[in-house]
Amino acid sequence: DVIVSPRNFERTGETPDQKPGLSWTSKYASVGTNGAGLPLIVDGLNETGLSVGLFYFDQSAQYEPYDAADPSKTIAPWQLGSYILDNFASVDEVKAALPDLNVAPVVFKQFNIVLPVHYVVTEASGKSIVIEYVGGELSVHDDPLGVITNNPPFEWHMTNLKNYVNLNYDNVAPKKFGDVTITGFGQGTGLLGIPGDFTSPSRFVRASIFKNGVAQGQSSNDAIFEAFHILNNFDIPKGAVREQSSDGQDTPDYTQWTSANDLDRKRFYFRTYDNSDIRFVDLMKQDLDAAEIKTITMGGYETAEEVGN
């Protein structure tokens, strides 16, 4: 679902030993998707134009040690996104607050694992950071490209881009081999060799190239729709990527939803696997001082519109 979380909403952090953790009351209202029916945002923005996204970080995530004698600064990994949206208006504010926070290895009961995630935070100016917990320590990286995918850690992805310095947005000019002139087959020869698979490193490379090469529109709507065109390249059809579970069953991975944040107009845009129509929630038209969280379903199926009759 999409949820609208109001101002003055009280939350308590979860801890590994079920003691009450950090308690806070939201300063800002926010909107975005939740997960597993929880009143927490996985992917969204707040009323100041700050956005956050949680991304799966399997194999690399290792959270900070938990101090059972002082749980008052502790929250669970899946709570950090809402904590940031509830409390901060800029990337610099987030950076300053993170060292005083204990993000501990709390078991996510719905999956029965310590949920491995890392985070991207972006403000309306375009400044962006990636937050990771690796080896039990906090790492905060400036993200000048504005791109994040999944494992490995962010610095590895940035180094891996060095393998693709040959790629270019412009088509390659014809080349001569002796007396023979060789031309490319058509458009896109400058990007020949760009990785096209669904792995996280390949997606990082493609996202970096596409995001920083697209035409800049004249309006917020232009930018939003351009973002969805970029994200078309990462839409996984159900069944194209599978993993076999311990009982021998194939479990398909697929793109359940795709979203974009308008940090100027404070709008959260989304589409789902079953409905590719782009819908949005305008946060500033919601009751930001409501007593409870508002839930808006993302459900429903797309229909084809007949034309020409």
Side-chain angles (χ1 to χ4, degrees), residues 52-249:
V52 69
L54 277 65
F55 286 73
Y56 210 63
F57 198 38
D58 190 28
Q59 302 178 41
S60 292
Q62 186 177 356
Y63 299 103
E64 298 170 311
Y66 169 58
D67 182 3
D70 183 17
S72 62
K73 295 181 179 179
T74 300
I75 65 173
W78 62 88
Q79 295 180 300
L80 182 57
S82 278
Y83 179 80
I84 288 171
L85 295 180
D86 286 348
N87 290 289
F88 306 117
S90 71
V91 162
D92 287 341
E93 288 182 12
V94 175
K95 278 185 173 182
L98 285 171
D100 295 327
L101 197 64
N102 179 214
V103 178
V106 185
V107 172
F108 187 64
K109 298 181 182 63
Q110 287 83 346
F111 297 168
N112 198 33
I113 59 170
V114 174
L115 198 64
V117 291
H118 59 172
Y119 317 80
V120 63
V121 181
T122 307
E123 63 181 45
S125 73
K127 183 185 288 188
S128 185
I129 57 172
V130 170
I131 302 166
E132 296 179 333
Y133 292 89
V134 178
E137 296 183 353
L138 166 68
S139 297
V140 180
H141 308 279
D142 291 328
D143 187 3
L145 293 175
V147 173
I148 187 175
T149 54
N150 310 103
N151 190 57
F154 181 75
E155 287 185 335
W156 186 98
H157 285 292
M158 293 297 291
T159 301
N160 184 51
L161 288 177
K162 294 177 182 290
N163 288 314
Y164 300 94
V165 293
N166 61 298
L167 299 180
N168 198 296
Y169 301 114
D170 298 324
N171 288 329
V172 176
K175 291 189 177 179
K176 294 200 69 172
F177 293 90
D179 294 329
V180 178
T181 299
I182 305 296
T183 60
F185 280 116
Q187 296 297 314
T189 54
L191 294 178
L192 190 63
I194 190 171
D197 58 80
F198 288 123
T199 64
S200 176
S202 294
R203 286 185 285 110
F204 192 97
V205 173
R206 292 206 307 285
S208 299
I209 291 171
F210 296 155
K211 185 260 184 182
N212 291 282
V214 295
Q216 298 298 306
Q218 299 300 312
S219 69
S220 292
N221 280 342
D222 292 338
I224 286 292
F225 294 133
E226 201 68 65
F228 277 102
H229 280 297
I230 292 172
L231 291 167
N232 286 340
N233 294 274
F234 308 97
D235 192 29
I236 302 176
K238 192 180 292 186
V241 175
R242 302 175 240 177
E243 186 169 22
Q244 196 169 80
S245 59
S246 57
D247 60 2
Q249 298 296 313

Side-chain angles (χ1 to χ4, degrees), residues 1-7 9 11 29-34 39 41 45 268 281-296:
D1 297 318
V2 174
I3 60 173
V4 179
S5 181
R7 302 166 182 152
F9 190 78
R11 302 185 194 271
S30 53
V31 61
T33 52
N34 68 350
I41 288 178
L45 72 152
F268 180 77
V281 177
D282 188 331
L283 177 59
M284 305 316 291
K285 292 182 179 179
Q286 306 300 311
D287 182 358
L288 305 188
D289 294 304
E292 301 292 339
I293 284 178
K294 179 179 180 179
T295 299
I296 303 163

